[in-house]
Amino acid sequence: GRHFRLRHIRHDPSIRYPPLAVLSGVSRPTLHNVVRGGPRSLLGWDFESGRTVDGDGRIPVHCSTPPDGVPFHHFTNTEEHQSLFSDIAQVRDILLWLLLTENRDHATPIIQRRAVRGTMQNIRAR
């Protein structure tokens, strides 16, 4: 994922980026680095003693977002990596945000008002 983000997603002020939503897991200790020759090494690599940071248990939060300058909206939840999309209400909110952001100039005021009063009221554009 990191390689893809760094190689293919770059900030370019001349680009009008499409809406981009990122869902990151938070509140779970996530291994940030592997220790070579650490105290719990297996075949020379220690996958247990390295520093942990906030994440979803697999991907650190700071590694789940696009590079600086690329606009996005950041959604979070406390699920583990494999369960991030299990919260159907949150997935619906993300999809609604993407649809309303993409079509904000074309959506009717009634649809926009209903979205703000309903499930979208806590969503703020970044």
Side-chain angles (χ1 to χ4, degrees):
R2 180 176 185 266
H3 174 75
F4 176 82
R5 282 191 313 277
L6 294 177
R7 184 177 174 131
H8 300 290
I9 302 176
R10 293 197 171 123
H11 173 65
D12 181 344
S14 68
I15 294 176
R16 182 175 179 257
Y17 291 93
L20 179 61
V22 173
L23 175 59
S24 300
V26 296
S27 303
R28 298 198 181 261
T30 304
L31 189 64
H32 184 261
N33 62 315
V34 178
V35 179
R36 187 174 190 175
R40 298 181 184 162
S41 291
L42 181 61
L43 300 175
W45 296 99
D46 181 348
F47 288 88
E48 296 178 26
S49 301
R51 182 172 66 102
T52 60
V53 295
D54 192 28
D56 63 13
R58 183 167 179 92
I59 308 293
V61 172
H62 72 275
C63 293
S64 66
T65 58
D68 289 341
V70 176
F72 69 99
H73 186 79
H74 201 185
F75 294 85
T76 62
N77 73 32
T78 57
E79 296 292 328
E80 290 181 282
H81 181 78
Q82 64 271 20
S83 302
L84 281 176
F85 288 94
S86 296
D87 183 345
I88 301 302
Q90 185 174 37
V91 171
R92 180 195 61 223
D93 288 348
I94 293 168
L95 292 172
L96 282 171
W97 180 84
L98 287 167
L99 287 169
L100 291 174
T101 301
E102 177 67 22
N103 296 309
R104 74 175 148 224
D105 297 330
H106 308 291
T108 66
I110 293 171
I111 292 172
Q112 290 174 348
R113 280 197 301 270
R114 284 186 185 153
V116 169
R117 281 191 213 124
T119 60
M120 301 289 289
Q121 70 189 89
N122 292 324
I123 296 175
R124 292 181 178 87
R126 183 172 178 183

